[in-house]
Amino acid sequence: MVGKAILNRKILLTASKSLLGVILFLIAFSVSARGVYQSNQDFLLEVFNNAPPKSKVVWMKGELRQGIRDILGHPYAGLRIRYWQQDEKSAWILEEIGKTEAITFGVVIANNKVDSVKVLAFRESRGSEIRYPAFTQQFQGAGLEAQQLDRHIDGISGATLSVRAMTLIVEMALYLDKFINK
Amino acid sequence: MNRQMRFLHRTMGAVIAVFVLIFSLTGILLNHSSDLELDQEYLTWNWVLAHYGISNIEPDVVYFLDQHVISQFDSRVFIDAIPAINSHKPILGGVVIDDLMLLTTEDELLLFSHDGEFIEKMTESAGIPPLIQNIGLFHGEPVVQTRQGMWRSDFMLEEWEAISLEGIAWSEPQSLPSAVEDELADYFRGKGISVERVILDLHNGRLAGSFSVWIIDILGLMLTFISITGIWLWLKRR
């Protein structure tokens, strides 16, 4: 009887430890999903082969301001946006709220099409799957048609708002690129 | 034995009855919350606000810039009592140059117009020296002290040269003026705490904070006890 009680206790203890282990792993995993994946500077060094051009700014006024408001559904924070341009390529570092926190994206546009898009910093607790190349490569070669992407982007379950934020930012970068190349 | 059991049964029953009454009455009120418009009524009693942590406001840091009071509460930066921007890094200082208000964090400059409108965040990728510790002015030009030394720029903020100067007017944190403190307190408190929220927290025990778990545990044990003693007394009577 006593032996059985000890055995039960051991099983309960092992089960509790395993459960605690799983919880700690999940917490560690979710925490590791947040953070800065690449600094702005490293992103630019990578995009422009270690020699980024001097930055330029575009002021958010009039038609541009309204156009971006139409794309995002709200005004973009800030009166000016910085970008880096060399030959046909322009690089943009833009932020958009996922659910409650800002996600920092790096978008490269070449010849009016998306060259690449990256998540530079992710601060939400969920939805960081959008940073995986398997997802971001869907944007490669996408253009803008009537202020919207010319293709459908497959979503990720559990990351709907992050996917939405990335799609809007890519549309915004394409719109900005079109504006500076007018 | 029987008498003691009966006494305990009755006493615990009375204690539990108080809680059952609270749960029942608050439950009924919550059931008719919309009709009674409990979500439209607000409490501004100090102890209630204190309980919800909004009776006093304490900014992390305050700077005075160009007639404006800049304050930071966690990641929220306010200009006077108006939310201006979110900054995940602490504000380390601020100066005014030409038509700009500049705030600095460890690795970015936050630019605002004189009216307090946010213009841009400039980082290392825009030429800003990293690892900033403070910002100041030298003959009207911005100077930043970094861990790697001192850097000076002009109003364009795009070119920074390493320098070593004395007599720089470094930015210094200030105290929050009471007028702005009152405005910020209004901002954080809003209309107060809704009656519905307080009743809901009373109903689910959250009003007792961290003690709620223990109270529910004790109530659970008492309920178990009076159930057992009730059955026992009933069996004895038969």
Side-chain angles (χ1 to χ4, degrees):
Chain A
M1 190 70 179
V2 175
K4 201 177 172 185
I6 291 171
L7 187 68
N8 281 344
R9 200 176 159 192
K10 274 189 179 170
I11 291 169
L12 199 66
L13 202 66
T14 312
S16 306
K17 280 182 182 171
S18 308
L19 186 66
L20 188 67
V22 170
I23 291 169
L24 287 175
F25 173 77
L26 289 173
I27 290 170
F29 183 76
S30 68
V31 168
S32 70
R34 300 181 199 181
V36 178
Y37 302 127
Q38 190 174 33
S39 71
N40 296 359
Q41 186 66 8
D42 287 346
F43 167 70
L44 294 170
L45 288 170
E46 184 185 293
V47 170
F48 295 105
N49 297 319
N50 292 320
K54 202 165 175 244
S55 63
K56 300 177 187 176
V57 291
V58 56
W59 286 87
M60 304 276 279
K61 292 188 289 194
E63 178 199 346
L64 180 67
R65 195 178 176 91
Q66 187 55 47
I68 286 170
R69 193 189 184 117
D70 292 343
I71 288 171
L72 298 179
H74 60 82
Y76 190 78
L79 289 180
R80 72 185 189 196
I81 295 176
R82 196 161 289 271
Y83 67 98
W84 294 260
Q85 191 178 31
Q86 200 168 59
D87 304 325
E88 297 300 312
K89 195 187 268 187
S90 67
W92 305 83
I93 296 172
L94 304 167
E95 287 191 348
E96 173 64 344
I97 305 283
K99 187 177 180 186
T100 55
E101 300 290 338
I103 307 169
T104 308
F105 298 97
V107 189
V108 182
I109 311 292
N111 298 311
N112 307 319
K113 302 281 180 194
V114 177
D115 184 71
S116 65
V117 53
K118 280 183 121 178
V119 175
L120 304 182
F122 193 86
R123 302 171 185 91
E124 304 270 11
S125 55
R126 298 181 69 185
S128 66
E129 297 88 342
I130 58 163
R131 76 183 191 273
Y132 298 132
F135 175 73
T136 57
Q137 67 189 14
Q138 293 186 83
F139 291 92
Q140 225 162 8
L144 204 62
E145 268 179 19
Q147 298 193 7
Q148 284 192 328
L149 286 187
D150 59 6
R151 64 179 64 177
H152 172 74
I153 300 296
D154 290 335
I156 301 173
S157 59
T160 311
L161 294 174
S162 302
V163 170
R164 183 175 176 272
M166 184 180 264
T167 308
L168 293 178
I169 282 299
V170 170
E171 288 171 356
M172 178 176 160
L174 283 164
Y175 184 73
L176 283 163
D177 179 77
K178 197 174 159 188
F179 182 84
I180 60 166
N181 287 312
K182 257 184 188 174
Chain B
M1 179 68 182
N2 229 350
R3 182 177 291 179
Q4 279 177 337
M5 190 74 79
R6 225 175 249 129
F7 172 74
L8 272 173
H9 183 83
R10 275 205 302 262
T11 312
M12 284 193 188
V15 173
I16 289 166
V18 173
F19 285 94
V20 170
L21 274 172
I22 292 171
F23 294 143
S24 308
L25 292 173
T26 50
I28 291 166
L29 285 172
L30 287 172
N31 235 4
H32 300 277
S33 175
S34 302
D35 303 329
L36 298 170
E37 297 187 340
L38 297 179
D39 53 342
Q40 306 295 322
E41 297 292 325
Y42 293 88
L43 300 176
T44 52
W45 301 333
N46 266 341
W47 70 269
V48 174
L49 297 177
H51 184 79
Y52 285 89
I54 52 174
S55 65
N56 294 315
I57 56 157
E58 284 177 29
D60 302 328
V61 73
V62 176
Y63 292 96
F64 295 164
L65 292 184
D66 194 28
Q67 316 290 327
H68 292 294
V69 177
I70 317 291
S71 57
Q72 186 175 26
F73 295 80
D74 296 324
S75 64
R76 284 185 292 181
V77 179
F78 289 79
I79 295 183
D80 300 323
I82 299 162
I85 190 177
N86 277 355
S87 171
H88 293 277
K89 305 251 172 97
I91 305 289
L92 302 173
V95 293
V96 177
I97 54 162
D98 289 335
D99 53 354
L100 288 178
M101 288 197 289
L102 288 185
L103 295 175
T104 188
T105 70
E106 187 187 40
D107 55 8
E108 59 196 7
L109 289 184
L110 310 175
L111 280 60
F112 294 88
S113 70
H114 275 285
D115 301 330
E117 195 165 6
F118 175 61
I119 297 173
E120 189 197 355
K121 270 183 194 174
M122 290 179 79
T123 61
E124 189 184 357
S125 54
I128 305 299
L131 304 171
I132 298 172
Q133 292 171 313
N134 201 354
I135 190 165
L137 285 177
F138 185 76
H139 295 303
E141 291 189 327
V143 177
V144 291
Q145 177 67 54
T146 73
R147 283 183 216 162
Q148 270 89 41
M150 201 181 284
W151 300 78
R152 178 172 65 180
S153 184
D154 54 21
F155 70 98
M156 293 292 286
L157 304 167
E158 288 179 346
E159 306 284 343
W160 293 80
E161 58 166 339
I163 45 141
S164 179
L165 293 170
E166 289 195 358
I168 293 160
W170 293 111
S171 169
E172 286 184 9
Q174 310 285 336
S175 300
L176 193 61
S178 54
V180 178
E181 186 176 354
D182 291 344
E183 284 182 55
L184 280 166
D186 287 344
Y187 173 85
F188 281 110
R189 288 172 190 162
K191 295 175 184 171
I193 303 292
S194 75
V195 174
E196 184 186 41
R197 172 82 185 270
V198 176
I199 292 176
L200 183 64
D201 288 348
L202 184 61
H203 185 74
N204 60 27
R206 281 194 200 133
L207 205 63
S210 54
F211 295 112
S212 62
V213 176
W214 294 104
I215 292 172
I216 299 295
D217 280 354
I218 292 165
L219 274 177
L221 288 172
M222 288 166 89
L223 273 166
T224 310
F225 181 82
I226 64 160
S227 304
I228 293 167
T229 51
I231 293 167
W232 190 75
L233 290 167
W234 179 72
L235 287 174
K236 285 285 277 183
R237 186 169 286 178
R238 288 184 74 189

